[in-house]
Amino acid sequence: MGTIWTMILKRLSLGLLTLFLISLFIFGAVELLPGDIAEEILGQSATPETVAALRKEMGLDQPAYVRYFGWLGGVLQGDFGISLANGRPISDLIGTRLANTLFLAAYAAVISVPLSLTLGILAALYRNSFYDRAVNVFTLTSISFPEFFVAYILIYFLAQSGLFPSIANVSPDMNLGERLYRTFLPALTLTLVVTAHMMRMTRAAIINLMASPYIEMARLKGDAPSKIITRHALPNALAPIINVVALNLAYLITGVVVVEVVFVYPGLGQLIVDSVAKRDVTVVQAVALIFAAAYVLLNLTADVLSTLSNPRLVHKR
């Protein structure tokens, strides 16, 4: 057990270091943007004195490293700063948007994870059958199409007919049933995109184990194929399956930008696109750091869970 905790602490330290480097990259990328933010806010008719006063008020007259550590210290305290577009605290802007993005990601995950595991297990059980080939063709097709194309196809067939709304306009006071109905199309789009990856990894992981000696022994004992896969092969294939599931869950949170824009969904993806258009760099920095933190955290969780599912990964020998 001590070895497990040591491994978790090492992974956590590496994750924190990764987040620190990502924050440096985000801040540096914003610093390299052309133009002066103060001039962009005030407009071309602003006098040099007014621009200088705004730069001092925003702290832009200080060295970059001073502003970086000031921003990082505020983030550690939950203060992301003030929006340049409307002067509101960024934490207030992000709060509802983050909840909406997490809701959409959870909605898609609840559908896609059980569906992909079931399809993958059945594809491994009926390998080289018509079902296996049909599922593989479908998943390869869904992988090949970009998210916005899948979204527009769903809008054309399901929204044009009036079955579902093409705009996922939700509000905090909306009941769960209405929210699920209005966000069904964006959730279905994300499901079609990520299910293919998880299904193919589940199928490949189980098929790779089917030639193992203990699987052969189970066959000689007369166990049914379904029992062999679910009781013997699947538990030993959890490590790669957990990894691919966690990576796709990370994508559901960080890769929703295009889907949210297509369906005008009020999440973090829509917020970062609007902020880029308004040159609201403080909001862009905050949202990018949140996406990075979610991705690193889910990768860390996948690493720990896959190791726990296979204790041999703890010991180098």
Side-chain angles (χ1 to χ4, degrees):
M1 184 60 69
T3 308
I4 295 288
W5 283 109
T6 302
M7 184 272 297
I8 292 175
L9 289 176
K10 287 181 178 178
R11 298 293 193 276
L12 184 59
S13 301
L14 183 60
L16 292 175
L17 176 61
T18 303
L19 271 180
F20 173 72
L21 295 176
I22 290 173
S23 68
L24 274 174
F25 176 79
I26 292 172
F27 188 85
V30 171
E31 284 293 306
L32 292 175
L33 289 175
D36 191 306
I37 297 176
E39 292 181 355
E40 290 285 341
I41 295 173
L42 295 174
Q44 296 180 352
S45 60
T47 63
E49 293 78 12
T50 308
V51 173
L54 182 59
R55 285 179 59 84
K56 185 176 181 180
E57 181 182 348
M58 297 172 61
L60 296 176
D61 57 332
Q62 298 178 351
Y65 70 90
V66 174
R67 287 184 281 113
Y68 167 73
F69 284 109
W71 172 66
L72 187 61
V75 169
L76 294 177
Q77 299 175 12
D79 180 14
F80 291 96
I82 303 296
S83 169
L84 301 180
N86 51 33
R88 293 177 57 190
I90 297 176
S91 301
D92 294 343
L93 295 175
I94 288 177
T96 304
R97 300 279 189 142
L98 177 60
N100 289 339
T101 295
L102 292 177
F103 175 83
L104 181 60
Y107 190 5
V110 168
I111 301 174
S112 60
V113 173
L115 177 64
S116 58
L117 293 179
T118 302
L119 293 177
I121 292 172
L122 291 176
L125 182 61
Y126 300 106
R127 185 183 179 186
N128 297 326
S129 65
F130 174 78
Y131 166 80
D132 184 28
R133 292 188 176 91
V135 169
N136 275 289
V137 169
F138 175 76
T139 53
L140 284 173
T141 303
S142 62
I143 290 175
S144 303
F145 290 151
E147 296 91 331
F148 69 88
F149 184 79
V150 176
Y152 285 128
I153 289 295
L154 292 178
I155 289 174
Y156 181 78
F157 285 104
L158 298 179
Q160 294 277 348
S161 59
L163 292 176
F164 296 96
S166 60
I167 297 179
N169 49 345
V170 296
S171 59
D173 57 346
M174 188 175 292
N175 62 61
L176 180 60
E178 182 69 16
R179 181 181 288 264
L180 291 174
Y181 170 72
R182 290 188 174 275
T183 57
F184 178 75
L185 286 186
L188 182 59
T189 302
L190 292 172
T191 298
L192 292 175
V193 172
V194 301
T195 295
H197 295 89
M198 292 187 286
M199 173 268 169
R200 289 180 64 81
M201 178 55 73
T202 302
R203 177 184 180 276
I206 293 177
I207 288 176
N208 286 337
L209 290 171
M210 295 305 288
S212 302
Y214 64 90
I215 297 293
E216 201 63 36
M217 177 61 70
R219 283 200 186 103
L220 294 175
K221 288 168 59 178
D223 288 346
S226 57
K227 181 181 179 181
I228 292 174
I229 289 179
T230 56
R231 182 170 295 185
H232 300 289
L234 186 59
N236 290 281
L238 283 180
I241 293 174
I242 288 173
N243 275 320
V244 75
V245 168
L247 287 174
N248 281 277
L249 290 180
Y251 169 79
L252 288 177
I253 298 176
T254 61
V256 296
V257 177
V258 174
V259 175
E260 288 187 357
V261 170
V262 171
F263 291 99
V264 199
Y265 183 73
L268 286 182
Q270 183 70 54
L271 176 63
I272 196 172
V273 171
D274 294 341
S275 300
V276 169
K278 298 174 183 176
R279 201 179 170 81
D280 196 349
V281 293
T282 53
V283 176
V284 174
Q285 285 181 172
V287 176
L289 189 61
I290 290 174
F291 280 158
Y295 198 87
V296 170
L297 180 61
L298 284 169
N299 273 275
L300 175 65
T301 304
D303 202 4
V304 172
L305 290 178
S306 61
T307 303
L308 292 177
S309 67
N310 188 358
R312 291 176 298 177
L313 297 176
V314 181
H315 307 285
K316 294 183 179 180
R317 293 183 181 180

